[in-house]
Coordinates of all heavy atoms in Angstrom, one line a residue:
V252 N -18.3 3.7 10.6 CA -17.4 2.6 11.1 C -16.0 3.2 11.2 O -15.3 3.0 12.2 CB -17.3 1.4 10.1 CG1 -16.2 0.4 10.5 CG2 -18.7 0.7 10.0
G253 N -15.5 4.0 10.2 CA -14.2 4.5 10.3 C -14.0 5.5 11.5 O -13.0 5.5 12.2
L254 N -15.0 6.3 11.7 CA -14.9 7.3 12.8 C -15.0 6.6 14.2 O -14.4 7.0 15.2 CB -16.0 8.3 12.7 CG -15.9 9.3 11.5 CD1 -17.1 10.2 11.4 CD2 -14.6 10.2 11.7
L255 N -15.7 5.5 14.3 CA -15.7 4.7 15.5 C -14.3 4.2 15.8 O -13.8 4.2 16.9 CB -16.7 3.5 15.4 CG -18.1 3.8 15.8 CD1 -19.0 2.5 15.5 CD2 -18.3 4.3 17.2
L256 N -13.6 3.7 14.7 CA -12.3 3.2 14.8 C -11.3 4.3 15.2 O -10.4 4.1 16.0 CB -11.8 2.5 13.6 CG -12.5 1.1 13.3 CD1 -12.0 0.6 11.9 CD2 -12.2 0.1 14.4
V257 N -11.5 5.5 14.6 CA -10.6 6.6 14.9 C -10.7 7.0 16.3 O -9.6 7.2 17.0 CB -10.9 7.8 14.0 CG1 -10.3 9.1 14.5 CG2 -10.5 7.5 12.5
N258 N -11.9 7.0 16.9 CA -12.0 7.4 18.3 C -11.7 6.3 19.2 O -11.5 6.6 20.4 CB -13.5 7.9 18.5 CG -13.8 9.2 17.8 OD1 -13.0 10.1 17.8 ND2 -14.9 9.3 17.2
S259 N -11.6 5.1 18.8 CA -11.4 3.9 19.7 C -10.2 3.1 19.1 O -10.2 1.9 19.2 CB -12.6 3.1 19.8 OG -13.7 3.8 20.2
I260 N -9.2 3.8 18.5 CA -8.1 3.0 17.9 C -7.3 2.2 18.9 O -6.7 1.2 18.5 CB -7.2 4.0 17.1 CG1 -6.4 3.3 16.1 CG2 -6.4 4.8 18.1 CD1 -7.2 2.7 15.0
G261 N -7.3 2.6 20.1 CA -6.5 1.9 21.1 C -7.1 0.5 21.3 O -6.3 -0.5 21.5
I262 N -8.4 0.3 21.3 CA -9.1 -1.0 21.5 C -8.7 -1.8 20.3 O -8.4 -3.0 20.4 CB -10.6 -0.8 21.6 CG1 -10.9 0.0 22.9 CG2 -11.3 -2.2 21.6 CD1 -12.4 0.3 23.0
Y263 N -8.8 -1.2 19.1 CA -8.6 -2.0 17.8 C -7.1 -2.5 17.8 O -6.9 -3.6 17.5 CB -8.8 -1.1 16.6 CG -8.6 -1.7 15.3 CD1 -9.6 -2.4 14.7 CD2 -7.4 -1.6 14.7 CE1 -9.4 -3.0 13.4 CE2 -7.2 -2.2 13.4 CZ -8.2 -2.9 12.8 OH -8.0 -3.5 11.6
R264 N -6.2 -1.6 18.2 CA -4.8 -2.0 18.1 C -4.5 -3.1 19.1 O -3.7 -4.0 18.8 CB -3.9 -0.8 18.3 CG -3.8 0.2 17.2 CD -3.0 1.4 17.5 NE -3.0 2.4 16.4 CZ -2.6 3.6 16.6 NH1 -2.2 4.1 17.8 NH2 -2.6 4.5 15.6
S265 N -5.0 -3.0 20.3 CA -4.7 -4.0 21.3 C -5.2 -5.4 20.9 O -4.5 -6.4 21.2 CB -5.4 -3.6 22.6 OG -6.8 -3.6 22.5
I266 N -6.3 -5.4 20.1 CA -6.7 -6.7 19.6 C -5.8 -7.2 18.5 O -5.4 -8.4 18.5 CB -8.2 -6.6 19.2 CG1 -9.1 -6.3 20.4 CG2 -8.6 -7.9 18.5 CD1 -10.6 -6.0 20.0
M267 N -5.6 -6.3 17.5 CA -4.8 -6.7 16.4 C -3.3 -7.1 16.7 O -2.7 -7.9 16.0 CB -4.8 -5.6 15.3 CG -6.2 -5.5 14.7 SD -6.9 -7.0 14.0 CE -5.8 -7.3 12.6

Side-chain angles (χ1 to χ4, degrees):
V252 172
L254 291 171
L255 276 177
L256 289 178
V257 165
N258 290 319
S259 307
I260 198 66
I262 298 173
Y263 181 88
R264 286 176 183 166
S265 65
I266 295 173
M267 291 305 295

